[in-house]
């Protein structure tokens, strides 16, 4: 069965970086893009970007351009999302999600809470 | 960027009611629209894709319709498990694949 297992919760200070991992299993890793979506406490879903594990193609939402980097390791079927220059407004649950092809999200990770606090 | 606007933001209804949530896109997205259900503390769950195709395993009381810029999600007879927050998302070829702001379905 398809599973996306994310790394554990993180607490970071303002200005630091965080790197969240997402290990995929149960499907052909290189055949499906992976999305990253975040959700601040009590807020809606915010699409951050997408990566193609087959060729490393990435597209990021303009809001995160220059601060976010998505990468993949095909040897371990793992996708990473690194967000730098963290501020308190980045406190959120970060989700990875498998795309159906390169489209919508059909399977989601369990989420990783990132707390930014001094 | 394509903006997605849902209405209403909150909806109060009773078990057995028929409810409809609307999602509007700021420009045409053909039928490249998905609907998700999210419960507190949980990841979203895919309900509908391509505007009207029901995801496998999703109860048939959920249905989607629309094309172009206006879309609806209908629950034909609300069940206790359906009280949650619902999001639409476009996946037109133009990134970003933005979400609507969400509709919280509450028990009346």
């Amino acid at each position: 069965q398809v599973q996306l297992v994310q790394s554990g919760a993180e607490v970071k200070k303002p200005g630091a970086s965080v790197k969240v991992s997402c290990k995929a299993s149960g499907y052909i890793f290189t055949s499906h893009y992976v999305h990253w979506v975040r959700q601040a406490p009590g807020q809606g879903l915010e699409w951050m970007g997408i990566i193609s594990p087959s060729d490393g193609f990435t597209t990021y939402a303009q809001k995160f351009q220059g601060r976010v980097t998505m990468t993949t390791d095909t040897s371990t079927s793992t996708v990473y999302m690194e967000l730098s220059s963290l501020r308190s407004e980045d406190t959120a649950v970060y989700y990875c999600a498998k795309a159906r092809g390169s489209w919508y999200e059909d399977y989601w990770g369990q989420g990783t809470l990132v707390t930014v606090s001094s | 960027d394509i903006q997605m606007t849902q209405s209403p933001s909150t909806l109060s209804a009773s078990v057995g009611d028929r409810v409809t949530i609307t999602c509007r896109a700021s420009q045409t997205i053909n039928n490249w629209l998905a609907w998700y259900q999210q419960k507190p503390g949980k990841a979203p769950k895919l309900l509908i894709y391509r505007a009207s195709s029901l995801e496998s395993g999703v109860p048939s009381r959920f249905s989607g319709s629309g094309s172009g810029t206006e879309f609806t999600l209908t629950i034909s007879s609300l069940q206790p498990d359906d009280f949650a927050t619902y999001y639409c998302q476009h996946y037109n070829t133009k990134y970003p694949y933005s979400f609507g702001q969400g509709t919280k379905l509450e028990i009346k």
Side-chain angles (χ1 to χ4, degrees), chain B:
Chain B
D1 294 358
I2 297 173
Q3 310 302 320
M4 307 301 293
T5 303
Q6 288 182 233
S7 60
S9 296
T10 306
L11 180 57
S12 297
S14 302
V15 173
D17 284 354
R18 178 184 180 91
V19 299
T20 297
I21 298 168
T22 297
C23 177
R24 290 185 173 87
S26 60
Q27 57 186 273
T28 184
I29 57 170
N30 297 304
N31 62 349
W32 303 119
L33 186 96
W35 289 97
Y36 301 88
Q37 176 193 67
Q38 188 181 33
K39 296 181 178 179
K42 300 294 187 182
K45 173 188 173 183
L46 176 66
L47 300 176
I48 301 282
Y49 60 94
R50 210 182 300 135
S52 60
S53 296
L54 193 67
E55 176 68 356
S56 175
V58 174
S60 59
R61 62 181 180 273
F62 290 92
S63 64
S65 65
S67 67
T69 62
E70 187 153 339
F71 303 86
T72 59
L73 173 71
T74 298
I75 309 173
S76 60
S77 178
L78 273 174
Q79 299 302 301
D81 191 49
D82 300 338
F83 292 95
T85 301
Y86 294 84
Y87 295 92
C88 63
Q89 182 196 30
H90 86 83
Y91 55 97
N92 192 37
T93 52
K94 298 178 184 178
Y95 295 114
Y97 287 176
S98 49
F99 291 91
Q101 81 276 19
T103 295
K104 186 176 183 180
L105 181 51
E106 299 179 329
I107 301 174
K108 184 184 285 185

Side-chain angles (χ1 to χ4, degrees), chain A:
Chain A
Q1 72 284 19
V2 174
Q3 279 194 303
L4 296 158
V5 179
Q6 299 183 221
S7 49
E10 303 261 14
V11 179
K12 296 292 183 180
K13 293 193 182 302
S17 297
V18 68
K19 191 170 187 176
V20 179
S21 67
C22 170
K23 184 171 176 61
S25 61
Y27 69 96
I28 300 173
F29 180 64
T30 52
S31 294
H32 299 268
Y33 285 33
V34 174
H35 298 258
W36 286 91
V37 175
R38 78 177 187 180
Q39 187 169 39
Q43 303 301 307
L45 302 172
E46 182 173 31
W47 189 84
M48 298 181 67
I50 194 168
I51 183 167
S52 167
S54 65
D55 60 8
F57 164 81
T58 54
T59 294
Y60 305 134
Q62 187 170 13
K63 175 177 181 176
F64 302 102
Q65 289 273 4
R67 285 208 302 144
V68 70
T69 304
M70 298 176 188
T71 55
T72 65
D73 181 346
T74 54
S75 68
T76 59
S77 298
T78 302
V79 178
Y80 299 91
M81 186 284 298
E82 184 169 21
L83 188 62
S84 63
S85 302
L86 290 169
R87 35 213 189 223
S88 58
E89 310 90 89
D90 294 318
T91 293
V93 175
Y94 289 76
Y95 293 102
C96 64
K98 169 188 166 291
R100 187 158 291 169
S102 60
W103 298 334
Y104 50 89
E105 298 89 331
D106 59 359
Y107 289 92
W108 296 67
Q110 83 275 20
T112 297
L113 175 62
V114 175
T115 303
V116 183
S117 174
S118 55

